[in-house]
Amino acid sequence: MNPVAFSRNAAVAVITLDSPPVNALGAAVRAGLVEAIGRANADEAVSAIVIAAAGKAFIAGADISEFGKPPVPPFLPDVLDTIERSPKPVVAAIQGVALGGGLEVALACHARVALPSAQLGLPEIKLGLIPGAGGTQRLPRLIGAAKAFPMMLSGDPIPAGRGLEWGLLDEVVSSDLLATAIRVAEGLAGEGRRPVTSAAVDKLTEADRAAFEVQAKDALRKAGEMPNVPALVEAVRNVFLLPFEEGLAAERKLFLALVDDPRSKALRHVFFAEREIAKVPGIGPEVKPRPIASAAVIGAGTMGGGIAMCFANAGIPVTLIETAQAPLDNGVNRIAAIYDISVQRGSLTPEARAARLALIKPVVGLAGAAGADIVVEAAFEEMGVKQQIFGELDKVTKPGAILASNTSYLDVPTIAAATKRPQDVLGMHFFSPANVMKLLEVVRPKGVADDAIATAVALGRKLGKVPVVVGNGFGFVGNRMLEQRTRAAERLLVAGALPYEVDQALVDFGFKMGPFAMADLAGNDIGWRSRKARGLKAPVADAICEAGWFGQKTGRGYYLYPQGARAGQRCPEVEALIQRISAEQGVTRRAFSQAEILARLLDPMVNEGARILEEGIAARPGDIDVVWINGYNWPAWRGGPMYWADGVGLDVIAKRLEAQAAESGDKALEPAPLLKRLAAEGKGFASFGAAAG
Ligand code: T1G
């Protein structure tokens, strides 16, 4: 069916896009637009044109799924050229979002009207790109470079009201959007002259250029690895240096180079992977989430307080429960202090701070959870404690209330067995700090009700999280793979590397920090306690903890933190300790290149990811990528561990793992069957599940 409908309203041609779900500018839409504009201009009874859209979005941009495939004409710049050069005025009627190429379509029109709820943005930067169809040339001319550049650099949309204020929109109307657009189009036609294009509007001034150059300098300083930031600076600077047509051509060249860049390809993989997680196997759209009007959180420690903040930030009343007044007061004070910092930074108004605190009701005793629709337990990470709490909750909470544990690795069915409602018990594993980190692992034990899982996923989105449904198993997905990296890092120290070398290798790869700096930040005693509970040994990590060097909180761990410094300094005592342990283990230390360190840290993680897929603990390789990007700061422009492994080649990884297994005698390093099979077939993880459809 033609996704572009053509109709007449008196002397105005109305072109309506209807290409679900978001009117992305795929080849059929582009061709339909060109055909409709031509038809309107050939029709003598038509004096003006409106472009409108059906559905929730005006236009969500170019069709990202087309990137990397052979380009199909008409190309978007040519479509926009047809609109802009139309002798009859073209007006955009915008509802929902006009993003990327969608806003570029509107910019090529001669006027733009929108509903107040419309959102206007150029998010290409988030895909490792820049606007590729005139956005960098038209938007600055229309609203000034100093407003346009930050919009394109952040990629965040602006509301219609601001669009009107800045001159991006001509009118904002609460109703009769189409009638308004038709009226504006007729008005332009009545002017009896060629319509003025946004490219011809020139709000550029020397002061604007100076302000832009300051922004550009700051952006380049923070750009890091990403090539699209310098490209955006160059494209916008051309607005001041080149005539419009030359600026368009330069933009297109910069854009096409970025489309082929591996970092953009990785970010486009992440875009789709983050949408795939909404498709939970066996739970279709017919499974409705239970309504969540109020919540309760058990435990007012760091995690419990952060989780309570998530609810308050989303406007959901939450009862924060502790066993006694003192820890409860501490928890509430910690939350208030965090909000105070946001107010000081200007990211939260005092009124919003007060409103959020008012939504948090501190109560001593589990009876406080009685009226909650969902309870999230964030108590001590010990099974007995959790079973006691869930047994109590089962008695005090209402039928149908969901009971979730924030456990980071304990067995959820064992927790559920403490209740008479296993169908309502699941895991909601938040990541610290819970009010900041996006990842939420929704643990789906056997026997839990589908609508309970659907509720946790919908709630996760409402809390602004990225909810990934995972199976029950030690460490679920993220921590289970993290443990492999931690063991590999310990092996590297004994074999010859030093903490700063291991950390630097991951930082240079794109992580915010390496394993040892992260351990010092979280507290080395946490891992120590877990290893002792499971009878595991890690000679270096155990020796560090036996010395009481727990990390930043004790002023020293793997590194030294003089006067509470945040950045650790190399510690000669630790390095001597490591060398002594190597000698005790009879290991002749040797140097390791960064490439070797990376392989030894990341290959075992990928291997564990393969086992996680084999066991069905994760539904798709992309889910694992989403976990690591949103929970552990894996650099999104590298696509995630499973995507990265496909880029390295599973045959290469399998060989390296075999060599490590032989060298260390650690069977866990043997390549997983799935990894071996895919390597032998010359395939990547991307093919996993595709056969299953
Ligand atoms: N291309 C292809 N598919 C898209 C798409 C797009 N641009 N946007 C969304 N989808 C699909 C998505 O995969 C999902 O599919 C469904 O639509 C609903 O999406 C030349 C080069 C529009 C705010 O970056 O921000 O234009 O899983 O779950 O939460 O300069 O989607 O149902 O099969 O996200 O309501 C620039 C990306 C492109 C906008 C809607 N545009 N999209 O959010 O639904 S590059 C973007 C979004 C470009 C030009 C450049 C959001 C949304 P499925 P959803 P939502």
Side-chain angles (χ1 to χ4, degrees):
M1 187 185 80
N2 185 344
V4 180
F6 185 98
S7 61
R8 276 265 308 282
N9 183 307
V12 177
V14 178
I15 300 172
T16 306
L17 305 188
D18 189 4
S19 177
V22 292
N23 294 323
L25 291 160
V29 172
R30 296 197 303 274
L33 263 174
V34 169
E35 190 275 330
I37 294 284
R39 180 175 164 187
N41 275 305
D43 184 339
E44 284 171 12
V46 167
S47 63
I49 304 164
V50 166
I51 297 178
K56 67 180 177 181
F58 173 65
I59 302 174
D63 184 336
I64 306 171
S65 64
E66 285 187 352
F67 290 160
K69 294 174 187 160
V72 175
F75 305 126
L76 190 55
D78 300 332
V79 175
L80 304 193
D81 198 47
T82 305
I83 296 170
E84 190 161 63
R85 292 177 188 276
S86 164
K88 298 176 183 174
V90 185
V91 177
I94 304 170
Q95 95 290 357
V97 291
L99 297 175
L103 182 57
E104 289 172 312
V105 165
L107 286 168
C109 292
H110 306 104
R112 290 152 289 276
V113 299
L115 291 178
S117 54
Q119 294 278 318
L120 315 158
L122 292 172
E124 290 85 343
I125 201 91
K126 298 178 179 178
L127 296 171
L129 302 169
I130 64 170
T136 68
Q137 306 304 300
R138 292 189 176 97
L139 189 61
R141 284 179 169 81
L142 204 55
I143 66 172
K147 290 189 178 77
F149 178 70
M151 248 180 94
M152 291 184 272
L153 183 66
S154 71
D156 296 333
I158 62 169
R162 198 174 312 155
L164 182 67
E165 190 189 320
W166 286 0
L168 176 51
L169 296 174
D170 298 270
E171 288 201 33
V172 172
V173 290
S174 318
S175 58
D176 302 329
L177 174 65
L178 184 58
T180 306
I182 288 169
R183 172 176 53 77
V184 170
E186 285 165 338
L188 289 176
E191 288 173 3
R193 59 184 173 80
R194 282 192 71 88
V196 177
T197 66
S198 59
V201 173
D202 191 339
K203 289 194 178 169
L204 300 167
T205 63
E206 273 313 306
D208 184 36
R209 176 174 183 178
F212 157 67
E213 288 296 347
V214 171
Q215 295 164 346
K217 194 169 171 211
D218 184 52
L220 291 171
R221 190 169 49 78
K222 296 172 184 169
E225 286 285 332
M226 295 313 290
N228 56 334
V229 174
L232 180 64
V233 168
E234 182 183 340
V236 174
R237 187 173 286 143
N238 284 341
V239 160
F240 298 95
L241 303 176
L242 299 178
F244 179 66
E245 294 301 334
E246 288 177 39
L248 275 185
E251 172 201 77
R252 192 72 186 162
K253 192 158 169 279
L254 287 163
F255 169 75
L256 292 175
L258 290 168
V259 170
D260 291 337
D261 187 290
R263 288 160 287 204
S264 177
K265 288 179 181 171
L267 287 167
R268 291 166 351 225
H269 157 72
V270 173
F271 173 84
F272 287 114
E274 287 188 343
R275 279 150 185 80
E276 279 296 292
I277 61 174
K279 296 167 187 154
V280 180
I283 301 185
E286 73 287 353
V287 178
K288 299 298 173 215
R290 298 178 201 174
I292 300 291
S294 69
V297 173
I298 313 299
T302 309
M303 285 307 287
I307 296 168
M309 288 176 72
C310 291
F311 283 107
N313 296 349
I316 299 173
V318 55
T319 305
L320 182 58
I321 293 174
E322 258 293 354
T323 51
Q325 196 60 44
L328 186 60
D329 293 345
N330 289 343
V332 172
N333 294 338
R334 187 187 301 115
I335 292 170
I338 293 169
Y339 280 140
D340 290 343
I341 292 168
S342 301
V343 170
Q344 281 149 27
R345 281 187 187 146
S347 58
L348 188 70
T349 65
E351 297 73 23
R353 172 190 178 282
R356 290 181 186 185
L357 281 172
L359 285 171
I360 299 174
K361 183 181 166 206
V363 168
V364 173
L366 289 177
D373 298 313
I374 187 165
V375 182
V376 182
E377 169 272 323
F380 196 62
E381 196 68 356
E382 200 280 315
M383 185 54 85
V385 169
K386 295 192 187 299
Q387 287 185 309
Q388 190 273 326
I389 289 170
F390 275 76
E392 275 298 297
L393 287 174
D394 192 29
K395 294 186 189 103
V396 302
T397 52
K398 60 189 182 185
I402 289 174
L403 308 182
S405 173
N406 171 57
T407 181
S408 55
Y409 61 85
L410 293 176
D411 187 69
V412 178
T414 305
I415 295 171
T419 74
K420 296 185 186 64
R421 62 171 91 185
Q423 73 281 2
D424 297 337
V425 179
L426 46 81
M428 285 181 80
H429 178 211
F430 291 80
F431 283 71
S432 183
N435 54 307
V436 173
M437 292 307 279
K438 290 279 187 203
L439 180 62
L440 173 67
E441 283 182 324
V442 175
V443 184
R444 182 183 188 185
K446 287 189 176 43
V448 71
D450 285 349
D451 71 330
I453 292 295
T455 306
V457 170
L459 175 63
R461 283 193 179 286
K462 185 164 171 55
L463 299 180
K465 300 299 178 188
V466 176
V468 181
V469 176
V470 299
N472 179 66
F474 183 83
F476 314 125
V477 171
N479 282 350
R480 176 169 164 180
M481 291 168 71
L482 178 65
E483 180 169 85
Q484 291 303 326
R485 192 184 81 178
T486 304
R487 288 168 59 176
E490 168 84 16
R491 274 195 295 270
L492 272 164
L493 293 185
V494 176
L498 292 174
Y500 80 94
E501 291 171 316
V502 174
D503 283 353
Q504 195 58 49
L506 278 187
V507 167
D508 291 352
F509 180 79
F511 280 90
K512 286 193 169 43
M513 60 173 66
F516 298 113
M518 196 170 97
D520 274 356
L521 178 66
N524 298 317
D525 49 326
I526 293 174
W528 191 34
R529 197 169 35 240
S530 168
R531 285 194 303 278
K532 285 198 282 188
R534 294 156 58 210
L536 298 176
K537 294 286 179 211
V540 176
D542 293 344
I544 293 239
C545 290
E546 276 143 26
W549 302 339
F550 291 161
Q552 289 192 22
K553 60 186 172 185
T554 58
R556 60 182 301 175
Y558 289 93
Y559 300 99
L560 295 170
Y561 300 88
Q563 285 85 39
R566 301 273 298 164
Q569 295 166 6
R570 287 177 62 178
C571 173
E573 273 188 272
V574 165
E575 295 181 7
L577 166 72
I578 290 168
Q579 284 158 17
R580 198 166 58 249
I581 288 172
S582 298
E584 286 164 3
Q585 306 248 338
V587 171
T588 305
R589 292 178 65 79
R590 73 168 177 87
F592 283 85
S593 68
Q594 277 213 345
E596 267 194 299
I597 290 173
L598 275 180
R600 284 168 177 260
L601 291 174
L602 305 184
D603 291 355
M605 280 175 54
V606 165
N607 203 30
E608 200 61 31
R611 294 196 182 98
I612 284 168
L613 290 171
E614 286 165 344
E615 296 164 25
I617 298 290
R620 296 161 285 255
D623 291 19
I624 296 175
D625 291 334
V626 169
V627 163
W628 268 83
I629 287 164
N630 289 282
Y632 302 83
N633 289 317
W634 180 287
W637 54 267
R638 288 194 187 271
M642 310 311 269
Y643 181 91
W644 168 80
D646 283 358
V648 171
L650 299 191
D651 54 340
V652 170
I653 291 181
K655 282 198 186 68
R656 290 192 315 213
L657 284 166
E658 280 159 357
Q660 282 192 60
E663 178 194 298
S664 66
D666 183 346
K667 283 265 174 268
L669 289 174
E670 287 292 343
L674 172 64
L675 194 151
K676 276 175 90 168
R677 175 172 65 78
L678 292 173
E681 293 169 0
K683 291 179 183 169
F685 287 115
S687 66
F688 178 81

